[in-house]
Amino acid sequence: MGSLKSLALAGALALGASAAAQAADLAYAPPPPPPEPLGLKGTITSGVYLRGDIGVGVQSIGKYQQDDVTQYGGSFFGGSKSNAAFFGGLGIGYRFNNWFRADITGEYRGSSSIGVNDTIYNPFARGPQTNTYKGNLTSLVTLFNGYIDLGTWNCLTPYIGGGIGFANNRIEGLTDQGIVYANYPNGPISPTLGSAASGSKTGLAWALMAGVGYEVNKNLTLEFGYRYLNLGDARSGRITNAFAAETYAPLKAKDIDSHDFRIGMRWNFGDPNCCGTPEPVAYAPPPVVRKY
């Protein structure tokens, strides 16, 4: 009986030691990985970025001016003052933090039609004369822009901004078709025809803008936006009469502006993930527990 009791006591001690060892193993399980840092979902870290934009603008001309028309007491009427212009641009910028960024952009605005009519008194023909001007307007625009991002919700970041710079506006292919009523009202009617070489004018440009960015990932953001752009003035070259050895003052387009609708993208280079795979995080191994 004594030996049976001894065997039972030894078995109980062995079972207790095994349970204690298993409990020790459970107490030292590997810790879970640390949670991701808190922050706005989709927010891109600051850094250098490239941008590209395309869009269409509804351009308007405030008024037309031509010195000969003014000199002889004429006036402009009718014609085209608003036309669509397609544009594309590139830029480089820097995002300083989650709410402010700035960039410099350059864009080309494609040809848009311009045109207007005038009526003047022609002192040489002693009668009225009407003219119809038609041409094309193109622009090169450089802007220094600043933006305020208004916070990110579900990867969408609304923004507002403004820009200032300069625009080079060029009038090309200008023609001047007219009719002269000599010795009005009983005199003959004769056509006139003129053309102008290309002319350009560079001046101040400025913009106001608003839109929303969609952050596809930590590096790529798509933008959809509206922009009001003031382009300044444009002018043609001097107008040459096709039937006589005469030249006239250039046609001027004043107070050009545009309501632009843009689609763009930004590629951010400031995030470390863009330059390589981040170093893996090392975790301390669990302590070794000797089992008895």
Side-chain angles (χ1 to χ4, degrees):
M1 292 297 292
S3 56
L4 290 176
K5 291 181 179 180
S6 299
L7 289 174
L9 179 59
L13 291 175
L15 181 62
S18 176
Q22 290 180 0
D25 288 345
L26 292 176
Y28 291 98
E36 294 184 0
L38 298 177
L40 293 174
K41 182 179 179 181
T43 298
I44 296 177
T45 58
S46 62
V48 176
Y49 63 84
L50 298 178
R51 69 174 302 136
D53 300 275
I54 59 173
V56 60
V58 181
Q59 291 188 167
S60 301
I61 296 174
K63 63 179 180 179
Y64 290 93
Q65 182 179 328
Q66 205 259 0
D67 292 344
D68 297 316
V69 175
T70 303
Q71 179 181 351
Y72 294 113
S75 60
F76 288 99
F77 67 94
S80 172
K81 288 194 173 184
S82 297
N83 277 289
F86 294 92
F87 60 87
L90 297 172
I92 185 170
Y94 190 84
R95 182 164 183 164
F96 294 90
N97 49 48
N98 286 342
W99 62 270
F100 181 73
R101 54 190 166 88
D103 56 42
I104 177 173
T105 58
E107 71 180 46
Y108 172 77
R109 304 180 67 88
S111 177
S112 65
S113 299
I114 63 170
V116 71
N117 307 304
D118 72 17
T119 178
I120 63 172
Y121 177 80
N122 188 323
F124 304 103
R126 296 189 297 277
Q129 177 177 342
T130 62
N131 298 280
T132 299
Y133 304 88
K134 293 182 179 180
N136 298 303
L137 173 66
T138 61
S139 301
L140 292 173
V141 185
T142 300
L143 291 174
F144 301 89
N145 308 290
Y147 311 86
I148 296 176
D149 291 328
L150 303 178
T152 301
W153 296 268
N154 295 323
C155 299
L156 294 174
T157 305
Y159 68 86
I160 57 175
I164 190 168
F166 57 88
N168 177 266
N169 303 308
R170 176 176 293 271
I171 295 179
E172 302 174 306
L174 184 73
T175 60
D176 171 12
Q177 298 177 343
I179 298 176
V180 178
Y181 301 87
N183 297 313
Y184 185 82
N186 299 318
I189 299 175
S190 60
T192 64
L193 177 63
S195 62
S198 299
S200 65
K201 182 176 177 60
T202 300
L204 178 70
W206 57 274
L208 298 173
M209 60 201 81
V212 63
Y214 175 72
E215 297 175 1
V216 179
N217 55 45
K218 288 187 176 182
N219 300 112
L220 177 63
T221 299
L222 300 181
E223 279 191 6
F224 306 88
Y226 163 80
R227 177 180 67 182
Y228 171 81
L229 177 62
N230 188 292
L231 294 157
D233 303 336
R235 59 182 293 168
S236 71
R238 291 189 63 85
I239 302 171
T240 301
N241 191 319
F243 302 139
E246 298 176 349
T247 60
Y248 312 107
L251 179 70
K252 301 174 183 178
K254 312 282 285 186
D255 302 326
I256 306 168
D257 63 8
S258 182
H259 298 276
D260 294 341
F261 300 91
R262 303 189 297 172
I263 299 175
M265 60 161 286
R266 285 186 277 123
W267 183 263
N268 177 58
F269 289 96
D271 192 278
N273 292 335
C274 179
C275 302
T277 304
E279 292 294 329
V281 179
Y283 297 101
V288 177
V289 179
R290 180 174 297 176
K291 299 180 180 180
Y292 296 95

